[in-house]
Amino acid sequence: MTTPRPDIPERTREKWQRMVDLISEIADVPATLIMRTLPPDHSVAVSSASPENPYVVGQSFTLHENLYCFGVLQNDGELVVEDAACDPRWSCNEDLEADEMGFYIGYPIKWPDGGVFGTICVLDRSRNEKALLFRKGLQEFCGVVEDDLAMLMEVERRKTVQQTLRETLASQEAKIERRTKALEEANIALRVLVDNVEERRKDAEQRVYDQIRELILPLVTKLRQLHSDEDVEAVYLDMISENLEGLSTIVSSDVAQALERLTPTETEIVQLILYGRTTKEIANVLSRETSTIDFHRNNIRQKLGLKRHQNLRQHLACLSH
């Protein structure tokens, strides 16, 4: 992620202003400048408030080889010109011709990523021994400016990251909202589907029950009348009748699980117990001894986990509801 170059805030400009004023006082020079480079322009960003300083903030120059600061940027380092009038390289520069500024010391100012911000420099109309001795001090002030630029870049980077995070968060929230809405719509559709299935199931059960009641139970009633004197056949007819009537209801999962653990004979005995038959009646229906029925009842109790004080018929009745 490339961090954009921030504008220099007023508070930082005020700090730099105090700094260049101090440099001019210490080095005893009429002009201390912080220059901003935005090729092809090179303009005054901060200028010392010295009474003999001819440079004003906003004053702009076009970069070319006869400009002192061009030499700084070309060297990518220090430039010292003690007397431009005696130096063929600088004898035709603008500062000497316009304001007789023949003495110059300058250093490049860079952004933390290595890009050029501009220069910091001092100028005088004659060779200045104090300024020459203050070269390391000027480099230190250059470092202060670069530290400020690094801090501004970091602040800008964090703002960019925060903005990116806010945009990402907003995007995720919008995505979650869309998905939530889609899930709500899917849930509504699912509830409608489940309701329709349940309604159809009830309709199907009702049709089965109606057909049993209208077509089969009348025949069972007639069979019961024909065999009313035969006890065993009557018992089985009663069981058939009650089982058919029970087809319209859902057998509970507890009853289903209990019957899975029983043998076919035990299952038959459970049904007879639920119909209220005594041990003697069950033995008569199944053509077994009562002791055999008692044996099966004990097995049933064990498989259902019943204790001695628990009633088998009541337990079976509870399971079936």
Side-chain angles (χ1 to χ4, degrees), residues 100-118:
E100 299 181 348
M101 292 290 183
F103 178 85
Y104 176 92
I105 301 173
Y107 298 93
I109 300 172
K110 295 186 178 182
W111 292 99
D113 59 4
V116 174
F117 173 84

Side-chain angles (χ1 to χ4, degrees), residues 34-70:
I34 294 177
M35 305 292 292
R36 180 71 186 272
T37 303
L38 294 171
D41 297 324
H42 189 66
S43 57
V44 179
V46 182
S47 179
S48 60
S50 311
E52 298 180 6
N53 184 357
Y55 303 100
V56 295
V57 173
Q59 186 176 352
S60 182
F61 304 87
T62 300
L63 283 171
H64 57 82
E65 61 181 7
N66 289 327
L67 200 65
Y68 288 134
C69 289
F70 180 86

Side-chain angles (χ1 to χ4, degrees), residues 155-169:
V155 170
E156 190 67 23
R157 186 191 69 80
R158 293 188 181 188
K159 287 181 179 178
T160 302
V161 170
Q162 289 175 352
Q163 180 61 29
T164 301
L165 289 175
R166 282 194 292 268
E167 291 174 356
T168 302
L169 179 60

